Amino acid sequence: MFELLLPFCLLVLSLLTLFIIWRINARKYISSGTVASAYDSWTQDKLLERLWGDHIHLGFYPSGKQNIDFRKAKVHFVHELVKWSGLDKLPKGSRILDVGCGIGGSSRILAKYYGFNVTGITISPAQVKRARELTPSGITCNFQVMDALDLKFEDGSFDAVWSVEAGAHMNDKTKFADEMLRTLRPGGYFAMADWNSRDLSAYPPSFFENLILQQLLEQWVHPNFISINEFGNILRTNKNSAGRVISDNWNYYTNPSWHDSIIEGIRRPFAILSLGPLAILKSIREIPTILLMNWAFRTGLMEFGVYKCRG
């Protein structure tokens, strides 16, 4: 009996230890500085880059199933958002602002495949440094450290503004929208994708759902989530959009990313092992949050919003 009980007790103890580590090391949003610090850390340890490539965002799966390579799905997502938003109608040489550019994955695709002149901004100095290192000569991208809530560009500076999965880190969604649309020239294209909650005022969360939402906020430096409709209305009331905003929920196309983001560790074990024992612990530490994200998006508590409009 003891021989059977001991492994079970060790398993429970291990899981409890991991849970305690996960909670103690939560990344709560305090200010934009905590967002910068978190992304500096993720970039410098290179774990996400080794596992997921240079696109730190979800992928696009046309069938809604895990039927294509995770990294290819991420590239496919960029092309799908370009096509859906109309950015492919812009001529080569058009000026594009990538707000929350990460390590430059989307920026490089926009420059390489569409011939755009891309300016990528992120609040993380480590991401800017890595984006520059990953960008070969001849690719018209430049990267700058900048707060998305205080863009240092003149009104109407860009032919298109692009942002993928950055808005959830913004504590002032209205200011975020205002700054992006302010820099968009009249007639320019706006394309955005973000993590949203469902409409919590119309469909209040249960006690359990509230616990899940709290963890999703505290683990990945999110100040708050709002619904697709709420952010769409913020965009519509901006004078630069003239109310011409279209939004959609791409949960069906992006949800397989959550399973794939874990499975990548199995497909590419040496990507983790080559970074040393600490990387193994760090990768395990992210699994609970990814599983919670998967559950939240799969059940509709969270939604993947996409937005487009003309300036």
Side-chain angles (χ1 to χ4, degrees):
M1 181 67 178
F2 178 74
E3 292 178 353
L4 294 174
L5 187 60
L6 181 59
F8 176 76
C9 290
L10 289 173
L11 176 61
V12 171
L13 183 61
S14 299
L15 292 174
L16 181 60
T17 301
L18 286 173
F19 177 77
I20 292 171
I21 292 172
W22 182 62
R23 287 297 301 136
I24 290 175
N25 293 304
R27 308 179 187 95
K28 294 183 180 180
Y29 178 93
I30 298 173
S31 67
S32 59
T34 53
V35 178
S37 296
Y39 277 101
D40 281 348
S41 177
W42 282 321
T43 304
Q44 289 162 349
D45 67 30
K46 293 191 175 179
L47 181 60
L48 290 182
E49 183 184 336
R50 292 284 183 88
L51 278 177
W52 298 350
D54 58 354
H55 299 273
I56 314 301
H57 58 68
L58 303 187
F60 187 96
Y61 300 76
S63 69
K65 298 178 181 179
Q66 291 165 267
N67 57 340
I68 58 176
D69 179 82
F70 184 42
R71 297 189 186 195
K72 290 181 180 177
K74 290 168 173 281
V75 174
H76 191 50
F77 175 87
V78 175
H79 292 303
E80 285 295 324
L81 188 59
V82 166
K83 181 171 63 175
W84 180 78
S85 63
L87 260 72
D88 54 346
K89 297 179 176 65
L90 288 169
K92 291 182 178 181
S94 294
R95 303 156 299 167
I96 312 297
L97 176 62
D98 184 354
V99 180
C101 64
I103 56 175
S106 297
S107 295
R108 284 185 287 275
I109 288 180
L110 295 173
K112 181 179 179 180
Y113 288 90
Y114 300 96
F116 298 151
N117 188 336
V118 184
T119 297
I121 68 105
T122 169
I123 203 165
S124 163
Q127 285 190 325
V128 166
K129 180 176 182 293
R130 188 58 181 149
R132 291 170 178 170
E133 292 170 350
L134 291 171
T135 303
S137 59
I139 300 295
T140 53
C141 293
N142 72 87
F143 300 99
Q144 303 177 37
V145 178
M146 196 177 298
D147 189 338
L149 299 181
D150 185 23
L151 296 175
K152 305 300 183 181
F153 303 111
E154 297 294 327
D155 294 359
S157 296
F158 296 95
D159 300 302
V161 174
W162 169 281
S163 182
V164 174
E165 297 177 31
H169 294 297
M170 307 298 164
N171 68 329
D172 188 335
K173 312 298 188 193
T174 300
K175 180 67 171 175
F176 178 53
D178 289 348
E179 281 294 278
M180 289 190 292
L181 292 176
R182 178 185 64 78
T183 64
L184 183 64
R185 69 162 173 81
Y189 289 80
F190 175 81
M192 180 179 161
D194 201 14
W195 298 351
N196 300 94
S197 65
R198 71 168 185 244
D199 189 336
L200 300 178
S201 59
Y203 305 97
S206 65
F207 174 79
F208 177 72
E209 288 175 329
N210 260 325
L211 290 178
I212 299 297
L213 286 171
Q214 193 62 34
Q215 294 310 309
L216 300 186
L217 291 172
E218 292 185 0
Q219 291 298 325
W220 285 351
V221 285
H222 299 129
N224 56 72
F225 298 123
I226 64 174
S227 71
I228 294 174
N229 190 52
E230 285 176 291
F231 192 75
N233 286 336
I234 288 173
L235 292 171
R236 290 183 189 97
T237 56
N238 186 283
K239 64 180 181 180
N240 295 314
S241 75
R244 299 186 298 269
V245 177
I246 295 174
S247 60
D248 199 1
N249 178 6
W250 278 12
N251 265 14
Y252 175 80
Y253 301 112
T254 57
N255 277 355
S257 302
W258 298 110
H259 282 134
D260 260 355
S261 63
I262 295 176
I263 293 171
E264 280 298 285
I266 300 172
R267 290 182 184 136
R268 297 182 169 94
F270 291 105
I272 302 174
L273 295 173
S274 62
L275 295 173
L278 187 58
I280 298 173
L281 292 176
K282 286 183 176 180
S283 63
I284 293 173
R285 184 245 178 276
E286 301 299 341
I287 290 176
T289 306
I290 294 173
L291 291 175
L292 290 178
M293 281 289 188
N294 175 62
W295 182 88
F297 277 89
R298 183 168 49 82
T299 60
L301 177 61
M302 293 289 291
E303 299 177 339
F304 193 89
V306 289
Y307 310 84
K308 64 179 178 179
C309 71
R310 298 289 300 276

